Amino acid sequence: MNKSKIEWCDHTWNPITGCRHNCSYCYAKRMTARFAGDVRLNLMAKKDYSTEPAADNSENVFILDKPMLNETGNTLVYPFGFEPTYHKYRMDYPEKLKMGNNIFVGAMADIFGKWVPGEWIRDVMETCLDNPIHNYLFLTKNPERYTEVGVPAGLENMWYGTTITCDADADRFNYLPAGCNTFVSIEPLMGDIVSKHNVMFRQVDWIIIGAETGRNKNKIVPELQWIKDIVVKADYNSVPVFMKDSLIPIVGEENMRREFPKQLQHSEISPKLKAKLFDGCASCKAHLRKSEMITLLARSKRGEQPKQFGFMCRDCFKEFCKDLGLDIPELIGLAESVTIGPGDEDE
């Protein structure tokens, strides 16, 4: 799990890495080459990994039950380069995050690629369902597999997207699952996609636009008009638009759109953190932040360190003071805790 540099998400989670699309502009393939180590030597360490047939009967795919280490004891992040690999030891990462986040699942892979075993995908989905405080965003060039593997539908925190780069592959949006949150990532934008695909803007819930990055000498720089046309159609259909920083040189910082759907604009907290931050009022049972209530402390004898035994909301605390005949409004307004113990009735 990594704090992401991708502008439209908080974290990336890569339980599956690697891809076989062989796109010329792929940033992930370039990155894995830097952190793979000596792939030839890694393949010789057969006791450290296993393989199984690819879903499309192409070359076998790899499975790691635990991180593979190099000769100095450091983790090899991509020991098989950009070959599809299931990192089983990463499946518990979402539950380690205390706050709800927008998580891009598979930033270093196409986890719905036709070669990825369905069991891998179902394992990932099960982990997402077990940690519902997060929003999960998936992105693939094989959107038909969303339906094939049966992704969970009707959940607000699950977002299914497809990558579109030009007019030739814009039809992919037709395979996005019905009854789900959907989006398209038009990155890198390599041509005018609006003229033949107006219906797309009525069917998706979010549009991301970006230009090709890197040092590819043949990369296509999007024309300003291509971007304008997308934004006009999105606005007409009330679809939020997020422009990646790669568009700043083209549209200018003052014209950048960084919009999120409502579901992706708020955060929840984990059950563990919620238990630490919230409690029930000892009187009315309202579930509130502990910091907003009076802490109730008790001690059995003078000189003993008081121990916390509960909380009381400020309204109930006022009634508590009245019942004891304590007319001290300044205490009611300022108190953060109250201690009850031997002799305290005189204090």
Side-chain angles (χ1 to χ4, degrees), residues 266-280:
H266 74 278
S267 299
E268 294 188 29
I269 59 177
S270 70
K272 288 183 179 179
L273 185 59
K274 187 175 291 185
K276 290 181 179 180
L277 298 180
F278 289 79
D279 209 323

Side-chain angles (χ1 to χ4, degrees), residues 4 14 32 49 84 124 134 141 198 243 270 275 281 318 345:
S4 181
N14 291 291
T32 57
Y49 67 90
V124 171
H134 305 298
K141 287 189 174 181
N198 289 340
M243 295 181 180
S270 70
C281 171
K318 291 178 182 178
E345 63 275 6

Side-chain angles (χ1 to χ4, degrees), residues 184-298:
V184 293
S185 175
I186 308 175
E187 184 191 13
L189 177 58
M190 294 182 167
D192 174 20
I193 67 165
V194 170
S195 57
K196 297 181 182 179
H197 300 279
N198 289 340
V199 67
M200 176 177 70
F201 299 92
R202 298 197 297 271
Q203 294 186 201
V204 300
D205 301 298
W206 193 27
I207 293 173
I208 299 168
I209 316 172
E212 182 178 355
T213 57
R215 300 180 180 179
N216 184 357
K217 64 179 180 179
N218 296 318
K219 69 181 179 182
I220 298 174
V221 178
E223 294 182 12
L224 179 59
Q225 192 60 49
W226 300 346
I227 301 168
K228 285 183 176 180
D229 289 345
I230 293 171
V231 172
V232 168
K233 288 295 182 182
D235 285 348
Y236 181 79
N237 290 280
S238 301
V239 179
V241 173
F242 189 98
M243 295 181 180
K244 296 191 68 174
D245 289 348
S246 55
L247 296 185
I248 292 177
I250 303 170
V251 305
E253 177 64 54
E254 68 279 6
N255 296 314
M256 289 290 287
R257 301 276 290 271
R258 296 184 175 92
E259 301 165 351
F260 287 88
K262 288 184 179 179
Q263 173 63 24
L264 302 180
Q265 294 176 20
H266 74 278
S267 299
E268 294 188 29
I269 59 177
S270 70
K272 288 183 179 179
L273 185 59
K274 187 175 291 185
K276 290 181 179 180
L277 298 180
F278 289 79
D279 209 323
C281 171
S283 179
C284 70
K285 309 304 180 184
H287 202 65
L288 303 169
R289 279 185 174 271
K290 294 177 182 178
S291 60
E292 297 173 354
M293 296 191 287
I294 305 298
T295 304
L296 303 178
L297 307 174

Side-chain angles (χ1 to χ4, degrees), residues 12-86:
T12 57
W13 172 39
N14 291 291
I16 300 171
T17 60
C19 184
R20 289 176 175 167
H21 286 309
N22 199 30
C23 301
S24 61
Y25 50 80
C26 182
Y27 72 89
K29 187 174 184 178
R30 296 194 300 269
M31 188 177 296
T32 57
R34 295 169 51 197
F35 299 99
D38 190 327
V39 175
R40 181 182 60 84
L41 290 178
N42 298 340
L43 288 170
M44 293 173 64
K46 295 185 181 296
K47 63 180 178 60
D48 293 333
Y49 67 90
S50 59
T51 63
E52 67 174 276
D56 62 351
N57 296 315
S58 57
E59 292 185 32
N60 284 358
V61 291
F62 296 88
I63 301 171
L64 288 172
D65 291 315
K66 60 182 181 180
M68 183 177 283
L69 307 179
N70 62 15
E71 62 277 6
T72 61
N74 294 317
T75 299
L76 291 164
V77 186
Y78 311 106
F80 311 113
F82 210 41
E83 281 301 299
T85 306
Y86 181 15

